[in-house]
Amino acid sequence: RKEVEQDPGPFNVPEGATVAFNCTYSNSASQSFFWYRQDCRKEPKLLMSVYSSGNEDGRFTAQLNRASQYISLLIRDSKLSDSATYLCAVTTSGYALNFGKGTSLLVTP
Amino acid sequence: GAVVSQHPSWVICKSGTSVKIECRSLDFQATTMFWYRQFPKQSLMLMATSNEGSKATYEQGVEKDKFLINHASLTLSTLTVTSAHPEDSSFYICSAPPGGGYNEQFFGPGTRLTVL
């Protein structure tokens, strides 16, 4: 069983829609949690770190549920430019990241 | 923000040749760097942890004699794919944490390797 699992999608949503991604992790010792965005053939870019208290950055909200070992990302008012693959990542010890396979989002006009 | 560069950005080579990929931290020192590999439509998979001044730590299933890592200075790590074969064709990305209590790490732009 993979350590970090995501629904690969694709999620096709119209502009302005709200879309939610979930991610589960299997190692209860995981310490840090992140959402990355990856555009085609590019390196991943950090979207946001995820904290137990939840955190929001503009249209993006991330939540962490340690008891259930899942992480979520909510995107409100989707823009065309949000089309990308969203990667969930966790660290267990040190800085090495364990990535999910990614969820593909396509926002259409 | 911190910047990590990689060179080359893409390379095409014949089967059996060796390819060296460089990863540099441009405005910070990195005692540790990470090498990841991503096959099409797959996740980034950690290959190895590169440690300045000591041997790299390889993930299970990654051949250390095939993927040679050298971290000779605090700003440079190199990954050499020896005797590359078509199945080594992939997107190789390095990353480095700037440290100092900073939780984030910074990724290089990646190197796309195609072995014919």
Side-chain angles (χ1 to χ4, degrees):
Chain A
R1 179 184 163 201
K2 204 170 183 324
E3 285 196 39
V4 181
E5 301 216 43
Q6 294 180 249
D7 179 348
F11 283 58
N12 293 340
V13 302
E15 267 187 293
T18 295
V19 61
F21 304 137
N22 291 324
C23 167
T24 57
Y25 60 95
S26 60
N27 191 336
S28 58
S30 297
Q31 297 175 342
S32 300
F33 309 87
F34 307 90
W35 282 102
Y36 281 82
R37 169 192 170 130
Q38 186 176 29
D39 292 287
C40 189
R41 303 173 85 85
K42 299 281 190 182
E43 77 276 23
K45 302 273 193 192
L46 180 66
L47 187 61
M48 49 199 314
S49 301
V50 190
Y51 306 108
S52 297
S53 54
N55 45 306
E56 186 174 311
D57 183 2
R59 297 182 294 110
F60 300 86
T61 301
Q63 294 275 358
L64 165 65
N65 185 320
R66 282 190 183 269
S68 302
Q69 294 182 201
Y70 94 88
I71 307 151
S72 65
L73 176 68
L74 184 77
I75 305 176
R76 291 182 298 278
D77 188 23
S78 299
K79 312 289 185 193
L80 296 177
S81 56
D82 293 334
S83 297
T85 297
Y86 290 83
L87 303 169
C88 171
V90 306
T91 63
T92 303
S93 61
Y95 289 98
L97 288 162
N98 197 343
F99 284 94
K101 208 169 175 178
T103 299
S104 177
L105 171 66
L106 178 62
V107 181
T108 55
Chain B
V3 178
V4 174
S5 70
Q6 259 183 265
H7 178 80
S9 54
W10 59 269
V11 58
I12 301 173
C13 69
K14 291 182 180 179
S15 188
T17 59
S18 293
V19 176
K20 181 189 280 190
I21 303 170
E22 293 185 347
C23 176
R24 292 183 186 273
S25 56
L26 298 184
D27 53 359
F28 65 98
Q29 293 182 330
T31 55
T32 301
M33 291 184 176
F34 300 99
W35 287 97
Y36 295 85
R37 177 170 57 180
Q38 187 176 34
F39 293 107
K41 299 195 183 298
Q42 298 295 314
S43 181
L44 283 94
M45 296 298 295
L46 179 67
M47 298 177 66
T49 302
S50 174
N51 304 298
E52 189 268 336
S54 65
K55 290 183 180 180
T57 307
Y58 291 83
E59 295 300 300
Q60 193 172 15
V62 178
E63 300 174 56
K64 62 180 182 181
D65 294 329
K66 181 169 182 63
F67 298 99
L68 301 179
I69 291 173
N70 187 303
H71 196 147
S73 77
L74 287 170
T75 58
L76 174 64
S77 174
T78 60
L79 169 68
T80 301
V81 184
T82 61
S83 187
H85 287 94
E87 57 266 29
D88 298 322
S89 298
S90 188
F91 191 45
Y92 292 85
I93 310 178
C94 69
S95 73
Y102 205 26
N103 200 23
E104 184 178 349
Q105 58 182 286
F106 296 94
F107 284 84
T111 297
R112 192 159 300 279
L113 170 64
T114 302
V115 185
L116 303 176

